[in-house]
Amino acid sequence: MRLSRYFLPVLKENPAEAQIASHRLMLRAGMIKQEAAGIYAWLPLGFKVLRRLEQIVHEEQQRAGHIPLLMPTLQSADLWRESGRYDAYGPEMLRFKDRHDREMLYGPTNEEMITDIFRAHVSSYKELPLTLYHIQWKFRDEVRPRFGVMRGREFLMKDGYNFDLTREDALHAYNRHMVSYLRTYERMGLTAIPMRADSGPIGGENTHEFLVLANTGESEVFYDAAVAGLKLGDRQVDYDNREEVADICKEFTSVYARTDETHDEALFDRIPEDRRRVGRGIEVGQIFYFGTKYSAAMGATVTAPDGTKVPVEMGSHGIGVSRLVGALIEANHDDKGIIWPEGVTPFHVGIVNLKQGDAATDTACEAIYGALRAAGFDPLYDDRDERAGAKFATMDLIGLPWRITVGPRGLAKNLVELTSRRTGESEEMTAEAAIARIAEIYAGV
Amino acid sequence: MRLSRYFLPVLKENPAEAQIASHRLMLRAGMIKQEAAGIYAWLPLGFKVLRRLEQIVHEEQQRAGHIPLLMPTLQSADLWRESGRYDAYGPEMLRFKDRHDREMLYGPTNEEMITDIFRAHVSSYKELPLTLYHIQWKFRDEVRPRFGVMRGREFLMKDGYNFDLTREDALHAYNRHMVSYLRTYERMGLTAIPMRADSGPIGGENTHEFLVLANTGESEVFYDAAVAGLKLGDRQVDYDNREEVADICKEFTSVYARTDETHDEALFDRIPEDRRRVGRGIEVGQIFYFGTKYSAAMGATVTAPDGTKVPVEMGSHGIGVSRLVGALIEANHDDKGIIWPEGVTPFHVGIVNLKQGDAATDTACEAIYGALRAAGFDPLYDDRDERAGAKFATMDLIGLPWRITVGPRGLAKNLVELTSRRTGESEEMTAEAAIARIAEIYAGV
């Protein structure tokens, strides 16, 4: 993309309403614009990151064998009366009537609807196991929306639902989700720690939240420092192998890590003192096993091998996709702006032309831009007639991890500059070498 | 995908509520499930087609230089008061109050919001031209939703908005949209004819609808048979070249084609009699040039080269993405089911194993499945323990354009069968030849 033809409305001033870094930086970098309290338009740069996260979530869910579909944003109140949640859910649920006076709501979650889909179409254990998920906009009418997309009212969530014959099968689905989530966050460049949690209005006995450590997190967290160093890395996982999947879950959950809701002082004290940590975390996902809570209430049964009809075992599993954009920035920024991890950056590399209009630098920039695009990369070329300082400030603010700077002085020696946004380090090399380095960097992403 | 692990709830019976082919076939092929009047869940097969259409729309819009963003589904009533449309819009607009009693609505279209985004960030002609678009769910509270996704209440639409300094620039944007839409529909395997139309509540003087010819269309259309044969084909279009783009528009609009709303009997009579056609059409898109209607009302001005402030020239341009799924089926089906054009098919090819459990056929099917996936294709392998007849019926119903059938008799001669869904013709060949043929078929798609 050429910046002269893009829509990147960066702000020079810090917006007064933004209290935390991600909110401030998303506004300043032209990623979002507030349209109502807790309701945002995703401007082109923000939308690109959101789509990228969505893509990673799709890929990792499908790798785990989960099937995508798409449920609508609006739901009938009747469905929620069946589970008893229509009355139980508080004022966070946005309720209204359509032109025929039918009671409707904007879905805050989809347990009822997916159970309805299941019971309409599945009747035998032979069609199990089954995990369906979607990525769709939700609405929760927060009394005090704040922190930008971190606590918005209209938000994008991946929610998945497993249907299994037995408790053991459902617990395997639970574990499969935990592992697929760990891989999802790692691909995004995040360390998200699974912590035992309370189940809240979803219900159920087993539940873990995934928390990204950040000073601005809404939850207080207590953990063994060792947990933050755990990595899935590039191990191949066979999601059908129960033992393998369970072992990974054990590895990540046997080290102490809890939120204030479930914190156990006695257990915490057993951690060697130099590894005890108290901090704050941002919740970016949660998984639940709740058995037959919805299937029993809504009559979602299957015929078991012995011919009896049993309510299906279920769980639900969510990733806050729009919220993750904020969490990523909270975990990856400095005083100049955002620093995108390579896995989620909106553009792979920025190209800064130090002397726009100069035939030699223009030609060199065009050649680099063309070569990167031909190699399958998505570069952002700042081709505006602006001072170098302004171009650097914009690149630093929007946080592309790599920048190629092209100026007359370097070109005289046939060199350009490759700069890492994270370390700030620059290196001179030929344009060809810079392009090769970019290819190398993104080869494993 | 292995069918045994997929969620494809096909129906044996014709659903009583479905009056037209696309609605009936989408229900029968397990593509959608109604959740409330005019509100559908997109089951996995339907979601796959929807995503594919969305992808084509994104690619063609970006090829034309248009920039994607994403506006929220919910909007503030205040914004619509500025344009005067809050009161003007009828009961099709879903209105409600949030927990703080603020008046909100579920967006039926986005002229106001995009104008608000524009005026907040753009103030000079130097930042023009600019075309922003998004693909987002909309809601129109139709009094009588029907025909499945063809006239739903919650529907997916691409809506794009151009911002230009002059009327000439805006008309170029209008033309650019016409050409990008023609290419979009062609890639989907559809013949969509641009027809002069009425502007309705959007307003404006210039507008064309795109209609797909189908007996079940809601509009009566009058046209010169020559128009249905026009093709963009594989010509390369330079979307910045005004003359080239205008010439293509002229080519497609100078042949008579009108809906009953704008039909001119005198002009129609001038068409040679053997080319005069009266039929029905499904509207799948519409483009509008409306000048300063919204920018003047909402104060979206830019500084012109002479220093004066002028309201920006605008147009809006929509493609009904979810409705297109229905239109595609109306135009592509027979009495056995759907026939997907290669450009939009949910799976590239189906594999039918005639003797599941037989070591030789299982091995051959797995090899074909693996080879197709390794080559970047997305096959659907019917690995269920079902009779051949049931497998063929399912494949015919869901409409994959190509099927590879593997049975013991053929394998004895080292042959499989490649069948075209559209023609019904089968050809025996080796598995390798079948895979090569599939690669050849999709090379140009």
Side-chain angles (χ1 to χ4, degrees), chain A residues 318-352:
Chain A
I319 292 180
V321 182
S322 49
R323 153 171 270 238
L324 266 170
V325 181
L328 272 159
I329 297 175
E330 290 296 332
N332 296 282
H333 71 275
D334 61 16
D335 54 357
K336 290 188 209 159
I338 303 164
I339 308 169
W340 293 115
E342 276 85 358
V344 299
T345 182
F347 294 97
H348 294 107
V349 54
I351 304 169
V352 168

mmCIF file of all heavy atoms in Angstrom, chain A residues 318-352:
data_model
loop_
_atom_site.group_PDB
_atom_site.id
_atom_site.type_symbol
_atom_site.label_atom_id
_atom_site.label_comp_id
_atom_site.label_asym_id
_atom_site.label_seq_id
_atom_site.Cartn_x
_atom_site.Cartn_y
_atom_site.Cartn_z
ATOM 1 N N GLY A 318 -14.175 -19.253 24.612
ATOM 2 C CA GLY A 318 -14.183 -17.956 23.948
ATOM 3 C C GLY A 318 -12.832 -17.266 23.880
ATOM 4 O O GLY A 318 -12.007 -17.388 24.784
ATOM 5 N N ILE A 319 -12.620 -16.570 22.784
ATOM 6 C CA ILE A 319 -11.451 -15.697 22.638
ATOM 7 C C ILE A 319 -11.976 -14.301 22.299
ATOM 8 O O ILE A 319 -12.776 -14.149 21.373
ATOM 9 C CB ILE A 319 -10.519 -16.178 21.504
ATOM 10 C CG1 ILE A 319 -9.861 -17.511 21.877
ATOM 11 C CG2 ILE A 319 -9.437 -15.132 21.204
ATOM 12 C CD1 ILE A 319 -8.924 -18.059 20.810
ATOM 13 N N GLY A 320 -11.536 -13.310 23.038
ATOM 14 C CA GLY A 320 -11.958 -11.934 22.778
ATOM 15 C C GLY A 320 -11.101 -11.333 21.677
ATOM 16 O O GLY A 320 -10.029 -10.802 21.924
ATOM 17 N N VAL A 321 -11.585 -11.440 20.433
ATOM 18 C CA VAL A 321 -10.734 -11.074 19.294
ATOM 19 C C VAL A 321 -10.464 -9.565 19.253
ATOM 20 O O VAL A 321 -9.317 -9.135 19.132
ATOM 21 C CB VAL A 321 -11.353 -11.560 17.959
ATOM 22 C CG1 VAL A 321 -10.443 -11.222 16.781
ATOM 23 C CG2 VAL A 321 -11.582 -13.075 18.003
ATOM 24 N N SER A 322 -11.518 -8.746 19.382
ATOM 25 C CA SER A 322 -11.279 -7.296 19.329
ATOM 26 C C SER A 322 -10.499 -6.832 20.555
ATOM 27 O O SER A 322 -9.614 -5.980 20.459
ATOM 28 C CB SER A 322 -12.603 -6.531 19.200
ATOM 29 O OG SER A 322 -13.550 -6.954 20.148
ATOM 30 N N ARG A 323 -10.790 -7.409 21.695
ATOM 31 C CA ARG A 323 -10.060 -7.057 22.917
ATOM 32 C C ARG A 323 -8.573 -7.405 22.801
ATOM 33 O O ARG A 323 -7.716 -6.719 23.366
ATOM 34 C CB ARG A 323 -10.721 -7.812 24.079
ATOM 35 C CG ARG A 323 -9.849 -8.134 25.254
ATOM 36 C CD ARG A 323 -10.682 -8.663 26.396
ATOM 37 N NE ARG A 323 -11.098 -7.543 27.211
ATOM 38 C CZ ARG A 323 -10.824 -7.430 28.515
ATOM 39 N NH1 ARG A 323 -10.183 -8.378 29.138
ATOM 40 N NH2 ARG A 323 -11.201 -6.385 29.183
ATOM 41 N N LEU A 324 -8.269 -8.483 22.065
ATOM 42 C CA LEU A 324 -6.867 -8.884 21.891
ATOM 43 C C LEU A 324 -6.038 -7.790 21.223
ATOM 44 O O LEU A 324 -4.838 -7.679 21.482
ATOM 45 C CB LEU A 324 -6.789 -10.153 21.034
ATOM 46 C CG LEU A 324 -6.727 -11.470 21.789
ATOM 47 C CD1 LEU A 324 -6.908 -12.624 20.816
ATOM 48 C CD2 LEU A 324 -5.410 -11.614 22.547
ATOM 49 N N VAL A 325 -6.666 -7.007 20.358
ATOM 50 C CA VAL A 325 -5.914 -5.921 19.713
ATOM 51 C C VAL A 325 -5.397 -4.974 20.793
ATOM 52 O O VAL A 325 -4.223 -4.584 20.803
ATOM 53 C CB VAL A 325 -6.783 -5.164 18.682
ATOM 54 C CG1 VAL A 325 -5.970 -4.066 18.015
ATOM 55 C CG2 VAL A 325 -7.333 -6.127 17.635
ATOM 56 N N GLY A 326 -6.267 -4.629 21.752
ATOM 57 C CA GLY A 326 -5.841 -3.784 22.864
ATOM 58 C C GLY A 326 -4.795 -4.470 23.726
ATOM 59 O O GLY A 326 -3.769 -3.868 24.100
ATOM 60 N N ALA A 327 -5.018 -5.738 24.049
ATOM 61 C CA ALA A 327 -4.075 -6.471 24.898
ATOM 62 C C ALA A 327 -2.700 -6.551 24.243
ATOM 63 O O ALA A 327 -1.667 -6.419 24.908
ATOM 64 C CB ALA A 327 -4.617 -7.874 25.172
ATOM 65 N N LEU A 328 -2.685 -6.768 22.931
ATOM 66 C CA LEU A 328 -1.411 -6.836 22.205
ATOM 67 C C LEU A 328 -0.635 -5.527 22.347
ATOM 68 O O LEU A 328 0.587 -5.535 22.519
ATOM 69 C CB LEU A 328 -1.671 -7.118 20.717
ATOM 70 C CG LEU A 328 -1.761 -8.592 20.342
ATOM 71 C CD1 LEU A 328 -2.496 -8.778 19.023
ATOM 72 C CD2 LEU A 328 -0.356 -9.190 20.255
ATOM 73 N N ILE A 329 -1.353 -4.416 22.264
ATOM 74 C CA ILE A 329 -0.680 -3.119 22.362
ATOM 75 C C ILE A 329 -0.231 -2.859 23.795
ATOM 76 O O ILE A 329 0.877 -2.363 24.028
ATOM 77 C CB ILE A 329 -1.602 -1.993 21.844
ATOM 78 C CG1 ILE A 329 -1.884 -2.223 20.358
ATOM 79 C CG2 ILE A 329 -0.968 -0.626 22.067
ATOM 80 C CD1 ILE A 329 -2.876 -1.259 19.754
ATOM 81 N N GLU A 330 -1.063 -3.236 24.773
ATOM 82 C CA GLU A 330 -0.637 -3.074 26.171
ATOM 83 C C GLU A 330 0.682 -3.808 26.408
ATOM 84 O O GLU A 330 1.549 -3.327 27.128
ATOM 85 C CB GLU A 330 -1.714 -3.606 27.134
ATOM 86 C CG GLU A 330 -2.980 -2.772 27.197
ATOM 87 C CD GLU A 330 -2.765 -1.357 27.743
ATOM 88 O OE1 GLU A 330 -1.823 -1.142 28.542
ATOM 89 O OE2 GLU A 330 -3.521 -0.451 27.348
ATOM 90 N N ALA A 331 0.824 -4.966 25.783
ATOM 91 C CA ALA A 331 2.029 -5.779 25.997
ATOM 92 C C ALA A 331 3.169 -5.406 25.054
ATOM 93 O O ALA A 331 4.296 -5.864 25.237
ATOM 94 C CB ALA A 331 1.688 -7.258 25.839
ATOM 95 N N ASN A 332 2.897 -4.568 24.051
ATOM 96 C CA ASN A 332 3.907 -4.275 23.024
ATOM 97 C C ASN A 332 3.877 -2.813 22.598
ATOM 98 O O ASN A 332 3.307 -2.468 21.555
ATOM 99 C CB ASN A 332 3.684 -5.154 21.782
ATOM 100 C CG ASN A 332 3.873 -6.643 22.044
ATOM 101 O OD1 ASN A 332 5.001 -7.125 22.127
ATOM 102 N ND2 ASN A 332 2.781 -7.351 22.192
ATOM 103 N N HIS A 333 4.439 -1.945 23.401
ATOM 104 C CA HIS A 333 4.517 -0.530 23.016
ATOM 105 C C HIS A 333 5.648 0.144 23.777
ATOM 106 O O HIS A 333 6.165 -0.406 24.752
ATOM 107 C CB HIS A 333 3.191 0.184 23.284
ATOM 108 C CG HIS A 333 2.900 0.383 24.737
ATOM 109 N ND1 HIS A 333 2.286 -0.581 25.525
ATOM 110 C CD2 HIS A 333 3.163 1.414 25.586
ATOM 111 C CE1 HIS A 333 2.171 -0.148 26.758
ATOM 112 N NE2 HIS A 333 2.705 1.068 26.833
ATOM 113 N N ASP A 334 6.042 1.318 23.316
ATOM 114 C CA ASP A 334 6.959 2.161 24.079
ATOM 115 C C ASP A 334 6.465 3.598 23.960
ATOM 116 O O ASP A 334 5.325 3.809 23.503
ATOM 117 C CB ASP A 334 8.409 1.986 23.603
ATOM 118 C CG ASP A 334 8.618 2.377 22.149
ATOM 119 O OD1 ASP A 334 7.745 3.073 21.577
ATOM 120 O OD2 ASP A 334 9.640 1.987 21.566
ATOM 121 N N ASP A 335 7.266 4.565 24.348
ATOM 122 C CA ASP A 335 6.729 5.934 24.364
ATOM 123 C C ASP A 335 6.567 6.520 22.961
ATOM 124 O O ASP A 335 5.912 7.546 22.782
ATOM 125 C CB ASP A 335 7.576 6.856 25.263
ATOM 126 C CG ASP A 335 9.036 6.811 24.871
ATOM 127 O OD1 ASP A 335 9.382 6.029 23.950
ATOM 128 O OD2 ASP A 335 9.838 7.546 25.470
ATOM 129 N N LYS A 336 7.108 5.858 21.959
ATOM 130 C CA LYS A 336 6.921 6.353 20.585
ATOM 131 C C LYS A 336 5.689 5.760 19.904
ATOM 132 O O LYS A 336 5.232 6.280 18.890
ATOM 133 C CB LYS A 336 8.134 5.988 19.742
ATOM 134 C CG LYS A 336 9.399 6.759 20.109
ATOM 135 C CD LYS A 336 10.465 6.445 19.087
ATOM 136 C CE LYS A 336 11.855 6.530 19.666
ATOM 137 N NZ LYS A 336 12.822 5.780 18.859
ATOM 138 N N GLY A 337 5.221 4.641 20.425
ATOM 139 C CA GLY A 337 4.050 4.040 19.783
ATOM 140 C C GLY A 337 3.974 2.536 19.966
ATOM 141 O O GLY A 337 4.557 1.970 20.909
ATOM 142 N N ILE A 338 3.268 1.929 19.025
ATOM 143 C CA ILE A 338 3.017 0.483 19.059
ATOM 144 C C ILE A 338 4.247 -0.255 18.527
ATOM 145 O O ILE A 338 5.022 0.294 17.729
ATOM 146 C CB ILE A 338 1.791 0.156 18.178
ATOM 147 C CG1 ILE A 338 0.562 0.942 18.656
ATOM 148 C CG2 ILE A 338 1.501 -1.337 18.144
ATOM 149 C CD1 ILE A 338 -0.581 0.986 17.649
ATOM 150 N N ILE A 339 4.431 -1.502 18.959
ATOM 151 C CA ILE A 339 5.482 -2.376 18.393
ATOM 152 C C ILE A 339 4.818 -3.711 18.078
ATOM 153 O O ILE A 339 4.688 -4.573 18.953
ATOM 154 C CB ILE A 339 6.623 -2.606 19.409
ATOM 155 C CG1 ILE A 339 7.146 -1.266 19.942
ATOM 156 C CG2 ILE A 339 7.747 -3.429 18.767
ATOM 157 C CD1 ILE A 339 8.097 -1.425 21.138
ATOM 158 N N TRP A 340 4.351 -3.893 16.852
ATOM 159 C CA TRP A 340 3.636 -5.139 16.521
ATOM 160 C C TRP A 340 4.572 -6.329 16.488
ATOM 161 O O TRP A 340 5.635 -6.267 15.854
ATOM 162 C CB TRP A 340 2.947 -5.025 15.159
ATOM 163 C CG TRP A 340 1.834 -4.037 15.133
ATOM 164 C CD1 TRP A 340 1.785 -2.875 14.419
ATOM 165 C CD2 TRP A 340 0.603 -4.104 15.864
ATOM 166 N NE1 TRP A 340 0.602 -2.218 14.666
ATOM 167 C CE2 TRP A 340 -0.139 -2.951 15.548
ATOM 168 C CE3 TRP A 340 0.062 -5.036 16.763
ATOM 169 C CZ2 TRP A 340 -1.399 -2.693 16.091
ATOM 170 C CZ3 TRP A 340 -1.196 -4.780 17.300
ATOM 171 C CH2 TRP A 340 -1.910 -3.629 16.967
ATOM 172 N N PRO A 341 4.189 -7.441 17.098
ATOM 173 C CA PRO A 341 4.881 -8.703 16.840
ATOM 174 C C PRO A 341 4.695 -9.066 15.352
ATOM 175 O O PRO A 341 3.664 -8.730 14.751
ATOM 176 C CB PRO A 341 4.146 -9.703 17.735
ATOM 177 C CG PRO A 341 3.455 -8.871 18.787
ATOM 178 C CD PRO A 341 3.125 -7.576 18.117
ATOM 179 N N GLU A 342 5.666 -9.741 14.790
ATOM 180 C CA GLU A 342 5.602 -10.089 13.359
ATOM 181 C C GLU A 342 4.340 -10.866 12.997
ATOM 182 O O GLU A 342 3.822 -10.729 11.891
ATOM 183 C CB GLU A 342 6.837 -10.914 12.946
ATOM 184 C CG GLU A 342 8.062 -10.083 12.598
ATOM 185 C CD GLU A 342 8.885 -9.716 13.825
ATOM 186 O OE1 GLU A 342 8.479 -10.086 14.953
ATOM 187 O OE2 GLU A 342 9.941 -9.069 13.666
ATOM 188 N N GLY A 343 3.838 -11.680 13.918
ATOM 189 C CA GLY A 343 2.687 -12.522 13.598
ATOM 190 C C GLY A 343 1.388 -11.765 13.363
ATOM 191 O O GLY A 343 0.453 -12.309 12.782
ATOM 192 N N VAL A 344 1.308 -10.521 13.808
ATOM 193 C CA VAL A 344 0.034 -9.808 13.724
ATOM 194 C C VAL A 344 0.150 -8.431 13.081
ATOM 195 O O VAL A 344 -0.832 -7.696 13.005
ATOM 196 C CB VAL A 344 -0.589 -9.618 15.132
ATOM 197 C CG1 VAL A 344 -0.858 -10.968 15.779
ATOM 198 C CG2 VAL A 344 0.298 -8.766 16.025
ATOM 199 N N THR A 345 1.355 -8.080 12.639
ATOM 200 C CA THR A 345 1.539 -6.716 12.125
ATOM 201 C C THR A 345 0.637 -6.433 10.920
ATOM 202 O O THR A 345 0.442 -7.304 10.063
ATOM 203 C CB THR A 345 3.027 -6.479 11.764
ATOM 204 O OG1 THR A 345 3.174 -5.123 11.320
ATOM 205 C CG2 THR A 345 3.497 -7.416 10.652
ATOM 206 N N PRO A 346 0.078 -5.230 10.837
ATOM 207 C CA PRO A 346 -0.819 -4.922 9.710
ATOM 208 C C PRO A 346 -0.080 -4.859 8.372
ATOM 209 O O PRO A 346 -0.662 -5.183 7.335
ATOM 210 C CB PRO A 346 -1.409 -3.556 10.076
ATOM 211 C CG PRO A 346 -0.482 -2.965 11.087
ATOM 212 C CD PRO A 346 0.128 -4.124 11.815
ATOM 213 N N PHE A 347 1.176 -4.401 8.378
ATOM 214 C CA PHE A 347 2.028 -4.453 7.189
ATOM 215 C C PHE A 347 3.342 -5.096 7.622
ATOM 216 O O PHE A 347 3.818 -4.856 8.723
ATOM 217 C CB PHE A 347 2.295 -3.039 6.632
ATOM 218 C CG PHE A 347 1.071 -2.356 6.099
ATOM 219 C CD1 PHE A 347 0.361 -1.462 6.893
ATOM 220 C CD2 PHE A 347 0.611 -2.612 4.815
ATOM 221 C CE1 PHE A 347 -0.782 -0.837 6.404
ATOM 222 C CE2 PHE A 347 -0.530 -1.989 4.319
ATOM 223 C CZ PHE A 347 -1.228 -1.102 5.121
ATOM 224 N N HIS A 348 3.944 -5.862 6.723
ATOM 225 C CA HIS A 348 5.167 -6.564 7.105
ATOM 226 C C HIS A 348 6.324 -5.613 7.332
ATOM 227 O O HIS A 348 7.175 -5.834 8.179
ATOM 228 C CB HIS A 348 5.551 -7.588 6.025
ATOM 229 C CG HIS A 348 4.573 -8.699 5.902
ATOM 230 N ND1 HIS A 348 3.707 -8.806 4.831
ATOM 231 C CD2 HIS A 348 4.293 -9.735 6.715
ATOM 232 C CE1 HIS A 348 2.951 -9.887 4.996
ATOM 233 N NE2 HIS A 348 3.278 -10.462 6.119
ATOM 234 N N VAL A 349 6.373 -4.552 6.528
ATOM 235 C CA VAL A 349 7.533 -3.668 6.581
ATOM 236 C C VAL A 349 7.126 -2.293 6.052
ATOM 237 O O VAL A 349 6.258 -2.180 5.181
ATOM 238 C CB VAL A 349 8.702 -4.289 5.756
ATOM 239 C CG1 VAL A 349 8.271 -4.617 4.346
ATOM 240 C CG2 VAL A 349 9.925 -3.390 5.725
ATOM 241 N N GLY A 350 7.709 -1.258 6.619
ATOM 242 C CA GLY A 350 7.496 0.090 6.114
ATOM 243 C C GLY A 350 8.658 0.511 5.244
ATOM 244 O O GLY A 350 9.799 0.094 5.481
ATOM 245 N N ILE A 351 8.370 1.288 4.214
ATOM 246 C CA ILE A 351 9.441 1.832 3.371
ATOM 247 C C ILE A 351 9.378 3.351 3.499
ATOM 248 O O ILE A 351 8.321 3.946 3.245
ATOM 249 C CB ILE A 351 9.258 1.435 1.887
ATOM 250 C CG1 ILE A 351 9.181 -0.093 1.749
ATOM 251 C CG2 ILE A 351 10.382 2.008 1.024
ATOM 252 C CD1 ILE A 351 8.734 -0.560 0.362
ATOM 253 N N VAL A 352 10.480 3.955 3.930
ATOM 254 C CA VAL A 352 10.508 5.410 4.073
ATOM 255 C C VAL A 352 11.445 6.001 3.025
ATOM 256 O O VAL A 352 12.630 5.655 2.982
ATOM 257 C CB VAL A 352 10.956 5.818 5.496
ATOM 258 C CG1 VAL A 352 11.264 7.314 5.541
ATOM 259 C CG2 VAL A 352 9.867 5.485 6.507
#
